[in-house]
Amino acid sequence: MDYNSDNKDNKTIQRQYLDQRLKELNITPQSNKITLQNHGESQNEVFFEADSYGNILINYYNIHGNRAQFRKNGNKWEERFVRTRIKEPKPNAKGEINKYLSPRGSGLRPFFPPQIIQKVKSKEIIETLFITEGEFKAFKGALHNIDVIGIPSIHGFYDIEKHKNQRIKVLHFEIEQLIEICRVKNLVYLTDADTLTVNYEFRKEMTNRPMAFYSAVKNIRQSLNPLLKRGILQKVYFSHIHSNFMDSAKGLDDLLVKFNLSHKEIVEDLYKLSKSKKFFTTQDLSGADYNWQLVKYFGLNSVKTFHKVYADHIENNKFKYKNAIYYFDNEKVVFFQHKDTEQFLRVGGNWYKIIYITNKFGELERDIIPFPKTEITGDYEGFPGFLRGIKKYDAFTVYPNWTGEHQSQINDSFNLYSEMAYKPKQGSWENTYKFLKHIFQGYASIDLATGKEHNIKGDTFSVFLDYLTLIYVNPTQMLPVPVLVSKKQGTGKTTLLKYLAEIYKGNSTVLNNAQFQTKFNRHYITKYLIGVDEAIMGADQVEAKKDKERLKQLVTGEEAQLEDKGVNLKKIPFYGKILMTSNDEDTLMKIDEEDTRFFIIKVPRIAKEDKNPDLFKELKKEIPALLYYLEQREIFHKKKDRFWFETEDYLTEHFYKLKDATKSPLEKAIEDTVREMFFTFLLPAVNMHPAFLLELINKNRGRKFQITQLKDKLKNVYKLKHQKQRRISIPIKWVQDGMTKKEEIYYEKFRLSYHVYDAVDWLTESEIEDHKIPAKKELPIN
């Protein structure tokens, strides 16, 4: 195998792009060469060469003909400054295509062609110096006797080191040295033929590109002020290739290649420095009013001027100029709409503004606040018709749709719910799974590697996994209220509230007890996920009852009243899901007989070895993966009730403990007495009138209860139906029959109104079975 031949072929391939560019620009090996002096010996180098990938390496040299070098922050040694022209540039993550790469940390510096370096060495006078964007343009121009240097971008003329602590751009020190050494009198900033063009796109700000060119020209002019004041420079010009060459010869190098036979004419035209020329248009910026001159030239002083300058690119389309949208009606430019109208809305007769407030994580969160019409009019008085562009709605509403396309308008109402901040994406949610298992415990599990679930009906983890799925994929479904309780600190229950609020960021809130109890509810009633942290509903009986009634109405209601200061009551749909935490695990709230809407979980403390100070950050990262999983999984518990689950599926052991712990003394006395009746007489049902039951209750008690109290409990707590007066028998004691010697129940007969007590309502199934209480066949009445 001929290795030399292979190497030769590889070098040829590597040089293809370089040779093509050099040939196009007529850059010969001789003109590409520069001779350096190294310890008294001559050494030849080149400006342009190919790397092993076929890209073009552009070697920079300073004005004295030495290799350009830079030193990264903190580095002891200097590195060579080489820019790379990518052979086949590809878009980055933002879709941007960068054709050139500079060494990281190198900053900006000017490119000096060999002709300029030679003139600096000989201190030859340069009457007029041109600065243009791009190394090839400068090199090609210099080949045709144009005194020109290149900069890497339209803003690449300034000195980074000098600019660090200054408000204005400072001219790069080597350009300043060049001007002083070669006694430059005129400086011309030269740009391409596409200078006065815009890339039309509806709703895209059309002034961005003109503003970039305007600021570049203004800044370079400003940076030359010290040289003008010192009399070193006399004139400053801004010039660009005529726009009609945009498609054929955009840059100086293209112009000289395309019109090769006329290059002398091009050079002469460039040096005229007058406004009316064949190839170039030029502005004299030497006067004090150069800034206003540039503003008008780039069409930035008014929309009328802007349209006149860029009409060929905008045509008759609507276009955005300084955040407002206009169109040309064949006679004049007409205002259509301002971009800021999207920040406002009118609901009914009231005006509002959509604002974004930075939270403690540095993230923006949306809020909608009342905003006076007079303030809007005053702020946008220069835009007649601004108010007409603001969207108008009849009312506020809420409608959740987390897995579909977000709708900001529902019929003629404004949807207060915002779009989901997180989008589902397949990935790992191992930390989230571990955390949720700690909170909800249970015996159910998930194999995260396969996604296979082991669910158990009524298991606390299975129930919550379905709950989590339902609030995401079926957000209008009524659901029970998860309540996390624990006396201990460091359980993670507050972290869970904050985590769920993060998932529904913008549509969620976490309240303290006082914020939930306040009369005005705008801060939470329009939210989807409402967390109440460290809830206390048992401190005061009257207030506790009010809080609990409010909670019950929210959980079971389909509508809510939006109450705010200075605003009339407004009825809106309510789909909110409420979650609570509390340190008061024994007496958080009074649980009545009908309270079957609370999914109460006693949360253990996180083990010391499992504590993670960065847990919340890790949970946030896994939100997209969790949403993806929830979107794919099948709900385990089938819908059985208005709260989806069968009641017994989510009524936990701690629910019953809390229910028992929060019973009043009279309730406990009633239940103990009635249960004792069943255990004593082993009957499936017992009839008693209230006075008889009260006598039994008060028989051995120091504290005596009143008949009115008892009747209230029987009616409102135990929901016993009052039977009309009739003759009934009440069991009193066991007695022995004189003949058979068998024990039998002795009854006393009464003619009174009464209640029926069924064993199945007061005893558990196991208690009925253990005591062998027979099934009820008929009422024991005589």
Side-chain angles (χ1 to χ4, degrees), residues 588-723:
L588 163 65
M589 70 174 79
K590 187 178 187 316
I591 301 293
D592 294 322
E593 197 64 33
E594 76 278 7
D595 289 335
T596 57
R597 54 180 63 84
F598 298 106
F599 176 36
I600 302 177
I601 298 293
K602 185 175 179 180
V603 186
R605 181 178 286 166
I606 298 174
K608 188 176 181 180
E609 61 271 19
D610 291 331
K611 286 189 176 181
N612 180 0
D614 296 320
L615 175 63
F616 190 74
K617 290 181 181 178
E618 292 177 0
L619 294 177
K620 278 182 67 175
K621 289 179 184 177
E622 293 179 354
I623 289 174
L626 173 66
L627 295 181
Y628 181 86
Y629 184 81
L630 296 178
E631 203 170 47
Q632 309 300 316
R633 76 176 291 267
E634 183 178 347
I635 296 170
F636 174 69
H637 291 88
K638 305 304 178 185
K639 186 173 183 179
K640 296 292 184 179
D641 194 20
R642 63 173 179 162
F643 291 117
W644 188 275
F645 303 92
E646 287 187 272
T647 305
E648 53 268 26
D649 285 340
Y650 60 83
L651 294 187
T652 61
E653 181 181 347
H654 199 80
F655 170 86
Y656 291 108
K657 284 184 178 179
L658 186 59
K659 182 179 177 181
D660 288 339
T662 57
K663 288 175 181 175
S664 69
L666 178 53
E667 289 170 6
K668 291 180 179 178
I670 291 170
E671 291 179 14
D672 289 345
T673 303
V674 173
R675 285 164 59 82
E676 186 61 31
M677 288 284 285
F678 285 116
F679 294 148
T680 300
F681 298 108
L682 305 178
L683 295 170
V686 174
N687 294 335
M688 284 187 287
H689 59 79
F692 182 84
L693 178 60
L694 183 66
E695 184 181 342
L696 293 178
I697 290 172
N698 286 337
K699 187 175 182 180
N700 297 313
R701 291 181 183 276
R703 177 184 174 182
K704 306 299 181 183
F705 297 107
Q706 303 299 316
I707 190 67
T708 53
Q709 294 174 299
L710 177 62
K711 287 181 176 181
D712 178 68
K713 292 294 183 184
L714 296 177
K715 177 183 178 181
N716 297 313
V717 175
Y718 297 102
K719 309 298 182 184
L720 292 181
K721 187 177 179 180
H722 187 76
Q723 305 292 331

Side-chain angles (χ1 to χ4, degrees), residues 165-383:
N165 299 314
Q166 299 193 31
R167 294 177 61 187
I168 63 172
K169 309 289 186 186
V170 178
L171 191 67
H172 194 280
F173 74 95
E174 285 194 287
I175 300 178
E176 187 172 341
Q177 286 181 5
L178 169 60
I179 292 170
E180 292 183 349
I181 292 171
C182 293
R183 289 165 286 176
V184 175
K185 298 302 178 187
N186 306 310
L187 189 138
V188 182
Y189 182 39
L190 175 65
T191 58
D192 293 346
D194 62 353
T195 298
L196 292 183
T197 64
V198 291
N199 299 318
Y200 177 78
E201 185 178 330
F202 182 55
R203 294 196 177 275
K204 177 183 177 183
E205 178 57 60
M206 290 290 97
T207 62
N208 288 342
R209 179 180 169 84
M211 185 62 74
F213 275 99
Y214 155 73
S215 62
V217 180
K218 181 197 72 171
N219 288 338
I220 197 168
R221 168 61 181 83
Q222 196 173 40
S223 72
L224 295 168
N225 268 335
L227 295 175
L228 287 167
K229 288 180 180 178
R230 287 160 55 194
I232 296 173
L233 269 181
Q234 292 180 358
K235 290 279 190 178
V236 178
Y237 298 89
F238 162 56
S239 182
H240 66 83
I241 300 171
H242 274 310
S243 298
N244 52 4
F245 292 106
M246 185 179 67
D247 296 328
S248 58
K250 190 177 71 143
L252 179 61
D253 52 346
D254 302 321
L255 196 65
L256 292 168
V257 169
K258 182 175 179 63
F259 300 97
N260 186 43
L261 298 177
S262 306
H263 66 261
K264 287 184 179 180
E265 184 183 357
I266 293 171
V267 174
E268 290 174 1
D269 195 55
L270 180 62
Y271 272 94
K272 282 180 182 177
L273 302 182
S274 58
K275 289 186 178 180
S276 301
K277 294 186 292 184
K278 181 177 179 180
F279 295 99
F280 304 92
T281 181
T282 304
Q283 301 285 316
D284 185 347
L285 304 181
S286 305
D289 63 344
Y290 69 89
N291 187 49
W292 180 242
Q293 180 183 344
L294 288 171
V295 169
K296 289 191 293 184
Y297 187 75
F298 284 101
L300 299 172
N301 61 315
S302 71
V303 66
K304 181 180 178 181
T305 307
F306 185 84
H307 185 268
K308 184 178 179 180
V309 174
Y310 303 101
D312 290 343
H313 306 283
I314 296 171
E315 298 177 341
N316 289 329
N317 296 305
K318 292 186 181 74
F319 64 96
K320 184 181 289 186
Y321 172 85
K322 295 183 179 179
N323 290 327
I325 298 174
Y326 298 86
Y327 66 92
F328 186 68
D329 68 355
N330 294 321
E331 291 184 4
K332 61 184 181 301
V333 176
V334 180
F335 171 78
F336 177 71
Q337 186 183 27
H338 196 284
K339 170 182 172 289
D340 289 359
T341 56
E342 297 173 2
Q343 299 176 14
F344 300 93
L345 56 147
R346 195 190 79 184
V347 181
N350 300 313
W351 298 81
Y352 298 87
K353 184 175 184 180
I354 301 171
I355 64 172
Y356 292 87
I357 303 170
T358 305
N359 63 21
K360 65 180 181 180
F361 300 110
E363 302 163 337
L364 293 176
E365 291 187 359
R366 190 184 79 158
D367 195 10
I368 299 174
I369 62 171
F371 207 83
K373 179 181 177 182
T374 52
E375 293 297 321
I376 301 173
T377 305
D379 290 344
Y380 297 94
E381 60 184 352
F383 300 93

Side-chain angles (χ1 to χ4, degrees), residues 17-18 21-22 25 27 47-49 56-58 85 100 111 132-143 150 252-254 256:
Y17 179 49
L18 170 67
R21 290 292 286 135
L22 296 182
L25 298 173
I27 299 175
F47 284 87
F48 308 106
E49 59 182 326
I56 299 175
L57 301 178
I58 305 171
R85 174 56 165 97
Y100 290 86
F111 175 81
T132 193
E133 179 194 7
E135 299 89 350
F136 285 110
K137 296 170 188 174
F139 203 93
K140 178 64 175 175
L143 288 176
L252 179 61
D253 52 346
D254 302 321
L256 292 168

Side-chain angles (χ1 to χ4, degrees), residues 355-575:
I355 64 172
Y356 292 87
I357 303 170
T358 305
N359 63 21
K360 65 180 181 180
F361 300 110
E363 302 163 337
L364 293 176
E365 291 187 359
R366 190 184 79 158
D367 195 10
I368 299 174
I369 62 171
F371 207 83
K373 179 181 177 182
T374 52
E375 293 297 321
I376 301 173
T377 305
D379 290 344
Y380 297 94
E381 60 184 352
F383 300 93
F386 182 86
L387 292 179
R388 289 197 301 272
I390 295 176
K391 287 189 176 181
K392 299 166 182 63
Y393 305 88
D394 292 339
F396 283 120
T397 190
V398 291
Y399 182 73
N401 182 18
W402 312 130
T403 56
E405 185 177 350
H406 176 72
Q407 295 175 271
S408 60
Q409 181 172 337
I410 307 296
N411 296 322
D412 293 321
S413 298
F414 181 80
N415 187 6
L416 287 166
Y417 287 157
S418 57
E419 190 174 2
M420 281 286 281
Y422 293 91
K423 301 297 180 186
K425 184 179 180 181
Q426 192 169 9
S428 170
W429 55 290
E430 183 178 353
N431 294 297
T432 305
Y433 172 70
K434 184 178 180 181
F435 176 65
L436 295 179
K437 273 293 290 180
H438 160 76
I439 296 289
F440 292 94
Q441 305 145 75
Y443 296 99
S445 62
I446 304 173
D447 184 341
L448 294 181
T450 63
K452 187 175 181 180
E453 297 182 5
H454 172 62
N455 284 300
I456 303 168
K457 189 174 185 297
D459 180 87
T460 49
F461 182 74
S462 287
V463 169
F464 184 74
L465 192 60
D466 281 346
Y467 174 93
L468 202 59
T469 307
L470 284 164
I471 63 174
Y472 182 55
V473 303
N474 191 2
T476 61
Q477 170 63 45
M478 283 186 185
L479 292 169
V481 179
V483 183
L484 309 181
V485 297
S486 180
K487 292 178 181 178
K488 300 174 182 177
Q489 299 295 319
T491 60
K493 58 185 189 295
T494 297
T495 301
L496 179 74
L497 278 194
K498 292 179 179 178
Y499 170 64
L500 293 175
E502 178 66 24
I503 293 176
Y504 294 93
K505 182 166 59 177
N507 303 301
S508 62
T509 186
V510 176
L511 312 170
N512 58 36
N513 213 55
Q515 290 170 325
F516 180 69
Q517 291 171 337
T518 183
K519 174 184 176 183
F520 301 111
N521 61 14
R522 178 183 174 272
H523 57 294
Y524 72 83
I525 205 68
T526 60
K527 302 299 184 183
Y528 177 69
L529 192 135
I530 304 164
V532 185
D533 196 20
E534 297 188 13
I536 304 172
M537 294 191 172
D540 178 85
Q541 278 193 342
V542 177
E543 289 302 318
K545 190 172 182 179
K546 286 182 181 178
D547 293 342
K548 192 174 167 190
E549 283 304 312
R550 182 190 298 114
L551 184 60
K552 286 163 65 175
Q553 288 173 10
L554 289 176
V555 175
T556 58
E558 296 180 350
E559 293 180 325
Q561 295 283 1
L562 192 159
E563 299 184 57
D564 202 359
K565 291 181 181 178
V567 179
N568 294 331
L569 285 176
K570 290 183 173 62
K571 188 179 288 186
I572 62 170
F574 184 76
Y575 301 104

